[in-house]
């Protein structure tokens, strides 16, 4: 049995000259909660869409549960649940109608679990979709995605616009879903502090390229925020191991990739008063994504 | 006030251009034509496209009222600006266009020009702007839930008002050629009623603007209003039509095709319900017309024109609701072939069912009195009725943007009103069916291709 729920090799997708995703290589292990992060327009939604089979890739290969979208797209979707910010159910007017509609597509729809989720999310079949709050609509979307107990859950910014309580509730439900270890969650989110607590793997995409990926603890552990002085007005170019955040006179602040020999490089430059501090995922994201101030 | 009016014209200039272009055509046909069937076909209710229709579109989107709320203008100024943009200016501009067209025709035409006919054509159209605007501004904005507080009460009033208005329009459409000189009906009654409603709309406009600008205009409110207006149709389908098909008690099938059937029904049943209501209404009108004046070729022409509109309207009301959810539908376990097949086949099936109903009514009404059964098949009607399917890939590709709206208006003008295929294309029933099949298959292939091409095609099209 394949240990990865999703395997992506050499994936490429372009939309005109303005945007190109990839080449992208990514492995999402079964049972993992995999966070996909990146700035707006990085290609996260495009990547998630391609994983779900919305649109064709220009090059490369995506296998979900070892299946290929070209031949077994419907089978993949039957084992997958999707929540995204652009979904709209208003054509079905009432929650009950939307449920009845979606239920018809999934032979393994779990009515008892659906009822349980409805109670937890405080939704009822008679609720009018147009009058639901933003948070309730997201919960409905999640309910529709979860009620057939999918093996893979793809969540595209599911908590955008939600208050703290709703976020907690949604993440709580997601944790219940994955606690058996058999279900996989691929989630893109701008709520990095939530993601840091929730996800066990993370990948960062910028301008369509994968900048880093790995286990969450390893990724966070790998980088350090460094504060140091460089004597004699010496310059410090950005490199693979070091990203300069700012400098004032001789004082510098940078993010160091500890696995790439950043400290050795600083020692070679005779850096003084070197102080290292751990980074949160959010700090790391800001440091790696923002325009670099290399000198 | 002037700025609001000119802003309205600038944003909708292409509709003004198209409609006034049609006015030139209509005036010329009526003023110089001999065949009254042609006259009837030139009667396109301009108010359906210009005036209140655009105001409704602006209010539906919600952006314009939201912006106006923040600007230093009074509700009176806004209301009057809306009235001028929807009633006064369209009537004046179409009047000027009519006058210029008649003037040029008198100078250059070699056939006699009927100036009263042209003026009558303009007047019959111009007087609709007021009633249509009144329909658009009739219901209060921001009314609370419950019968007493207004929302339901006004909803019922709006439905009744719309039905009466549509009936009035049908009567005018049926008897339009009798309004043109030499008059064979007393149309001064129509003139007085329409003028009265136009004046009433002037006074209603200010109160309506105050209600609109005072109400909370958010996207949620807009979505709620749209959902409420369509829910009447959905509830009717759920209670009375779906039980007949067994869809109400639909169990999940082992293969997951239960959802596919529901998707088909979600397009087909509302289209049929809405279309059948309108076709029956038209049948009653036709019966009445035939009883009063006997069989007339003009009736056939009118009926055929209206029949196309009757198919278009359910198509336009029902299908965009489904197509705007394409992103969600693509996440469900349906192949692109199945999805494209359903969104094309369901409206085609509904169209053919309505065509069958039309035919049944015609046979029943005109049985043994000269009507040739299946006559529409000789009029290019299959081509005409399947052409709306090209809008499916267009909407999947572009959403409901200006290009789509222009295409809809253009197709309706060319096909439904001018009856272009009927007038100019002579096709045998076999050729007619062949071309229609090509249109349907082409739309299907395009839709399927677009669904597969990339999610960006239908990303961010939610209303």
């Amino acid at each position: 049995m394949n240990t990865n729920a999703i395997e992506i090799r050499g994936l490429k997708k372009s939309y005109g000259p303005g945007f190109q995703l990839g080449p992208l290589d990514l492995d999402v292990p079964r049972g993992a909660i995999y966070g996909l992060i990146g700035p707006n327009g990085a290609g996260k939604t495009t990547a998630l869409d391609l994983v779900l089979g919305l649109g064709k890739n220009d090059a490369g290969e995506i296998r979900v549960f070892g299946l290929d979208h070209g031949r077994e797209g419907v089978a993949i979707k039957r084992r997958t649940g999707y929540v995204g910010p652009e979904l709209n159910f208003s054509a079905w007017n009432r929650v009950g109608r939307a449920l009845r509609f979606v239920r018809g597509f999934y032979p393994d729809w779990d009515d008892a679990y659906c009822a349980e989720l409805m109670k937890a999310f405080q939704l009822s079949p008679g609720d009018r979709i147009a009058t639901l709050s933003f948070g309730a609509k997201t919960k409905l979307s999640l309910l529709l995605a979860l009620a057939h107990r999918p093996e893979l859950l793809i969540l595209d910014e599911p908590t955008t616009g939600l208050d703290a309580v709703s976020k907690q509730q949604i993440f709580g439900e997601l944790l219940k879903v994955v606690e058996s270890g058999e279900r996989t969650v691929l989630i893109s989110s701008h709520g990095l502090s939530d993601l840091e607590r929730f996800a066990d793997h993370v990948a960062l995409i910028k301008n369509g390229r994968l900048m880093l990926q790995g286990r969450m603890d390893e990724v966070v552990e790998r980088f350090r925020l460094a504060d140091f002085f460089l004597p004699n007005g010496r310059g410090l170019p950005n490199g693979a191991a070091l990203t300069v955040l700012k400098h004032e006179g001789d004082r510098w602040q940078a993010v160091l990739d500890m696995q790439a020999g950043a400290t050795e490089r600083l020692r070679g430059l005779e850096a003084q008063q070197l102080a290292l501090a751990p980074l949160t995922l959010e700090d790391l994201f800001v440091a790696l994504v923002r325009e670099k101030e290399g000198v | 006030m002037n700025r609001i009016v000119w802003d309205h014209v600038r944003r909708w200039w292409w509709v003004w251009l198209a409609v006034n272009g049609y006015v030139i055509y209509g005036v010329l046909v009526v003023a110089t034509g001999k065949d009254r069937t042609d006259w009837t076909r030139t009667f396109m209710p301009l108010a359906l496209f210009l005036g209140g229709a655009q105001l409704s579109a602006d209010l539906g989107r919600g952006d314009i009222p939201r912006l106006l709320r923040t600007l230093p203008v009074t509700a009176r100024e806004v209301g009057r600006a809306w009235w001028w943009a929807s009633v006064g200016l369209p009537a004046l501009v179409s009047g000027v266009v009519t006058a210029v067209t008649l003037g040029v025709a008198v100078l250059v035409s070699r056939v006699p020009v009927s100036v009263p006919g042209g003026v009558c054509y303009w007047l019959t159209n111009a007087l609709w702007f007021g009633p249509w605007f009144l329909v658009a501004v009739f219901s209060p904005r921001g009314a609370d839930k419950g019968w007493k507080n207004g929302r339901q009460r006004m909803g019922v009033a709006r439905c009744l008002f719309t039905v009466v208005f549509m009936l009035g329009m049908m009567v005018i459409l049926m008897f339009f050629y009798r309004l043109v000189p030499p008059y064979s009906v007393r149309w001064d009654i129509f003139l007085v009623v329409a003028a009265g409603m136009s004046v009433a709309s002037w006074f209603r406009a200010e109160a309506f603007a105050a209600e609109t600008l005072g109400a909370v205009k958010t996207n949620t409110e807009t979505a709620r209003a749209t959902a409420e207006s369509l829910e009447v149709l959905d509830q009717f389908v759920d209670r009375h039509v779906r039980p007949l098909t067994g869809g109400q008690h639909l169990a999940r099938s082992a293969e997951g095709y239960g959802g596919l059937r529901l998707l088909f029904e979600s397009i087909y049943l509302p289209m049929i319900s809405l279309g059948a209501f309108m076709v029956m209404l038209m049948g009653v009108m036709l019966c009445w017309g035939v009883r009063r004046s006997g069989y007339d070729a003009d009736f056939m022409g009118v009926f055929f024109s209206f029949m196309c509109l009757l198919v278009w309207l359910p198509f336009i009301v029902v299908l965009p609701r489904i197509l705007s959810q394409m992103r969600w539908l693509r996440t469900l376990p349906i192949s692109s072939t199945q999805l494209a097949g359903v969104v094309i086949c369901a409206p085609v099936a509904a169209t053919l069912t309505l065509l069958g109903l039309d035919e049944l009514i015609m046979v029943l009404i005109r049985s043994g009195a000269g009507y040739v059964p299946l006559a529409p098949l000789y009029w290019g009607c299959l081509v005409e009725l399947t052409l709306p399917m090209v809008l499916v890939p267009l909407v999947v590709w572009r959403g409901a943007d200006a290009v789509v709206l222009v295409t809809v208006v253009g197709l309706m003008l060319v096909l439904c009103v001018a009856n272009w295929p009927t007038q100019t294309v002579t096709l045998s029933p076999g050729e007619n069916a062949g071309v229609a099949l090509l249109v349907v298959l082409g739309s299907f292939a395009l839709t399927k291709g677009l669904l597969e091409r990339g999610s960006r095609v239908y990303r961010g099209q939610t209303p």
Side-chain angles (χ1 to χ4, degrees):
Chain A
M1 185 176 155
N2 200 326
T3 54
N4 289 324
I6 301 168
E7 288 176 345
I8 298 173
R9 296 286 174 269
L11 176 68
K12 278 187 187 175
K13 177 76 182 177
S14 64
Y15 289 112
F19 172 80
Q20 181 172 328
L21 173 71
L24 197 67
D25 293 282
L26 206 69
D27 287 326
V28 178
R30 275 180 195 264
I33 303 174
Y34 202 104
L36 200 58
I37 60 175
N40 293 328
K44 303 185 297 294
T45 299
T46 301
L48 294 183
D49 283 356
L50 291 172
V51 170
L52 189 62
L54 308 185
K56 278 183 181 163
N57 37 312
D58 298 337
E61 188 185 39
I62 304 172
R63 297 191 83 82
V64 182
F65 308 120
L67 305 174
D68 175 53
H69 274 297
R71 280 165 297 181
E72 290 148 313
V74 174
I76 291 173
K77 284 181 182 170
R78 210 167 269 170
R79 295 164 69 178
T80 308
Y82 177 86
V83 176
E86 290 165 343
L87 297 187
N88 168 25
F89 316 108
S90 56
W92 274 265
N93 280 332
R94 303 266 176 185
V95 168
R97 282 169 58 91
L99 282 173
R100 207 172 71 222
F101 172 67
V102 177
R103 181 179 181 269
F105 287 99
Y106 297 99
D108 44 3
W109 183 270
D110 187 338
D111 285 321
Y113 183 44
C114 177
E116 191 184 311
L117 285 171
M118 285 190 82
K119 199 174 168 188
F121 291 156
Q122 294 177 318
L123 293 168
S124 91
D127 289 345
R128 189 180 279 162
I129 292 171
T131 62
L132 292 179
S133 67
F134 185 81
K137 277 183 189 158
T138 307
K139 287 172 184 172
L140 172 61
S141 183
L142 193 62
L143 188 154
L144 294 172
L146 288 176
H148 61 100
R149 296 191 179 274
E151 291 172 57
L152 170 65
L153 200 53
I154 296 177
L155 309 172
D156 188 4
E157 297 177 22
T159 55
T160 302
L162 295 185
D163 62 57
V165 176
S166 298
K167 268 186 200 173
Q168 263 190 3
Q169 199 177 12
I170 282 177
F171 278 119
E173 271 319 310
L174 290 176
L175 282 172
K176 277 190 213 165
V177 167
V178 295
E179 65 189 2
S180 67
E182 291 169 3
R183 299 183 203 285
T184 310
V185 177
L186 177 59
I187 178 172
S188 108
S189 175
H190 291 299
L192 297 179
S193 53
D194 294 322
L195 211 57
E196 190 173 357
R197 275 182 283 136
F198 179 66
D200 46 30
H201 287 70
V202 67
L204 171 63
I205 296 181
K206 185 184 173 188
N207 296 331
R209 299 293 183 101
L210 190 67
M211 293 188 72
L212 63 94
Q213 69 165 321
R215 288 188 59 86
M216 180 70 78
D217 50 357
E218 289 173 359
V219 167
V220 174
E221 197 62 30
R222 180 177 147 188
F223 293 92
R224 284 285 181 271
L225 179 66
D227 206 348
F228 54 90
F229 288 86
L230 283 182
N232 308 323
R234 199 175 282 177
L236 182 60
N238 279 317
L242 186 147
T243 307
V244 176
L245 297 181
K246 63 179 178 182
H247 78 102
E248 289 168 4
D250 290 344
R251 187 175 177 176
W252 293 75
Q253 201 173 53
V255 170
L256 307 187
D257 184 347
M258 307 303 282
Q259 285 181 3
T263 43
E264 288 75 16
R265 190 174 161 207
L266 284 181
R267 280 196 201 104
L269 290 166
E270 298 173 356
Q272 295 168 1
Q273 299 178 45
L274 177 63
L276 297 176
L279 284 163
T280 63
L281 183 63
E282 191 158 342
D283 295 333
L284 181 61
F285 176 84
V286 172
L288 295 181
V289 164
R290 74 180 211 178
E291 287 298 312
K292 294 172 181 175
E293 296 178 2
V295 179
Chain B
M1 189 179 84
N2 290 346
R3 284 176 192 276
I4 299 172
V5 175
W6 290 123
D7 169 68
H8 180 93
V9 175
R10 269 198 295 271
R11 282 185 294 104
W12 293 101
W13 65 269
W14 51 277
V15 182
W16 285 73
L17 199 66
V19 167
N20 283 294
Y22 196 83
V23 169
I24 296 173
Y25 163 74
V27 168
L28 284 177
V29 170
V30 172
T32 62
K34 293 175 182 173
D35 185 355
R36 280 169 180 256
T37 309
D38 284 343
W39 296 4
T40 304
R41 283 181 180 147
T42 59
F43 182 76
M44 174 190 70
L46 303 180
L48 280 180
F49 302 94
L50 197 64
Q54 292 154 327
L55 179 68
S56 298
D58 280 347
L59 294 177
R61 279 205 297 268
D63 300 341
I64 304 294
R66 261 201 302 277
L67 179 64
L68 286 175
R69 280 181 74 196
T70 66
L71 298 178
V73 284
T74 63
R76 168 172 290 193
E77 286 173 321
V78 172
R80 289 184 176 177
W82 283 348
W83 188 91
W84 275 109
S86 308
V87 182
L89 208 55
L92 283 176
V93 171
S94 59
V96 170
V97 170
T98 301
V100 171
T101 307
L102 283 173
V104 172
V106 167
L107 288 176
V108 302
S109 175
R110 292 177 184 174
V111 296
V113 175
S114 164
V115 175
V119 172
C120 181
Y121 176 83
W122 166 73
L123 204 56
T124 326
N125 267 303
L127 282 170
W128 276 110
F129 289 118
W132 190 244
F133 180 71
L134 192 59
V135 168
V137 302
F138 187 66
S139 293
R141 292 262 152 180
D144 288 332
K145 280 182 181 174
W147 181 262
K148 278 186 180 175
N149 292 327
R151 186 179 286 176
Q152 288 173 357
R153 187 155 37 95
M154 296 318 294
V156 170
R158 185 165 48 175
C159 285
L160 282 173
F161 200 88
T162 307
V163 167
V164 170
F165 178 79
M166 289 303 290
L167 271 173
M169 192 166 278
M170 283 181 182
V171 172
I172 292 294
L173 188 57
M174 298 277 292
F175 292 98
F176 170 67
Y177 68 97
R178 291 166 194 275
L179 298 177
V180 180
Y183 316 108
S184 54
V185 291
R186 286 195 59 196
W187 72 301
D188 48 351
I189 300 169
F190 157 71
L191 198 137
V192 170
V193 170
M197 289 172 82
S198 300
V199 173
S201 71
W202 167 268
F203 292 104
R204 171 67 191 143
E206 183 185 336
F208 176 78
E211 289 161 4
T212 303
L213 302 182
V216 180
K217 296 302 296 174
T218 62
N219 285 332
T220 312
E221 281 288 321
T222 307
R224 182 181 300 173
T226 310
E228 277 176 5
S229 59
L230 288 169
E231 198 170 351
V232 178
L233 182 62
D234 284 329
Q235 282 176 352
F236 176 81
V237 169
D238 273 354
R239 283 180 193 160
H240 304 293
V241 185
R242 214 185 286 282
L244 301 175
T245 69
Q248 189 76 25
H249 310 290
L250 192 77
R252 58 178 183 271
S253 71
E255 299 301 321
Y257 288 121
L260 213 56
R261 178 182 158 182
L262 259 182
L263 181 60
F264 183 92
E265 287 185 3
S266 298
I267 300 170
Y268 179 81
L269 294 182
M271 273 188 76
I272 285 295
S273 305
L274 194 62
F277 168 73
M278 293 193 295
V279 167
M280 299 302 274
L281 203 65
M282 192 64 200
V284 171
M285 295 296 304
L286 196 65
C287 269
W288 179 52
V290 168
R291 271 170 183 258
R292 277 181 63 90
S293 45
Y295 181 75
D296 192 324
D298 287 342
F299 279 123
M300 286 301 296
V302 173
F303 187 72
F304 186 65
S305 295
F306 226 86
M307 187 181 73
C308 296
L309 275 174
L310 296 180
V311 176
W312 270 85
L313 285 177
F315 183 85
I316 289 169
V317 169
V318 173
L319 212 61
R321 281 201 299 161
I322 305 295
L323 295 181
S324 67
Q325 331 231 348
M326 197 48 81
R327 186 171 173 75
W328 179 42
L329 294 174
R330 286 291 285 139
T331 70
L332 297 172
I334 330 169
S335 68
S336 55
T337 308
Q338 289 170 326
L339 188 53
V342 170
V343 294
I344 293 288
C345 287
V348 168
T351 300
L352 291 177
T353 311
L354 288 174
L355 180 63
L357 190 61
D358 283 336
E359 179 64 17
L360 187 67
I361 289 173
M362 286 304 293
V363 169
L364 288 175
I365 293 172
R366 297 306 315 150
S367 175
Y371 174 69
V372 181
L374 300 176
L377 290 182
Y378 292 89
W379 299 344
C381 86
L382 284 178
V383 176
E384 195 158 330
L385 293 177
T386 50
L387 264 175
M389 302 312 148
V390 301
L391 292 175
V392 174
L394 199 62
V395 173
V396 169
W397 174 34
R398 306 192 61 95
D401 68 356
V403 173
V404 175
L405 288 173
V406 170
T407 311
V408 170
V409 172
L411 275 174
M412 282 181 80
L413 287 178
V414 173
L415 296 176
C416 299
V417 184
N419 278 347
W420 169 73
T422 316
Q423 299 269 318
T424 57
V425 183
T426 311
L427 295 172
S428 70
E431 290 166 336
N432 191 4
V435 175
L437 192 64
L438 277 179
V439 170
V440 171
L441 289 178
S443 302
F444 166 77
L446 269 174
T447 306
K448 182 178 181 314
L450 285 165
L451 289 176
E452 288 173 352
R453 189 171 137 198
S455 61
R456 247 187 208 196
V457 170
Y458 42 84
R459 196 189 286 178
Q461 293 180 1
T462 51

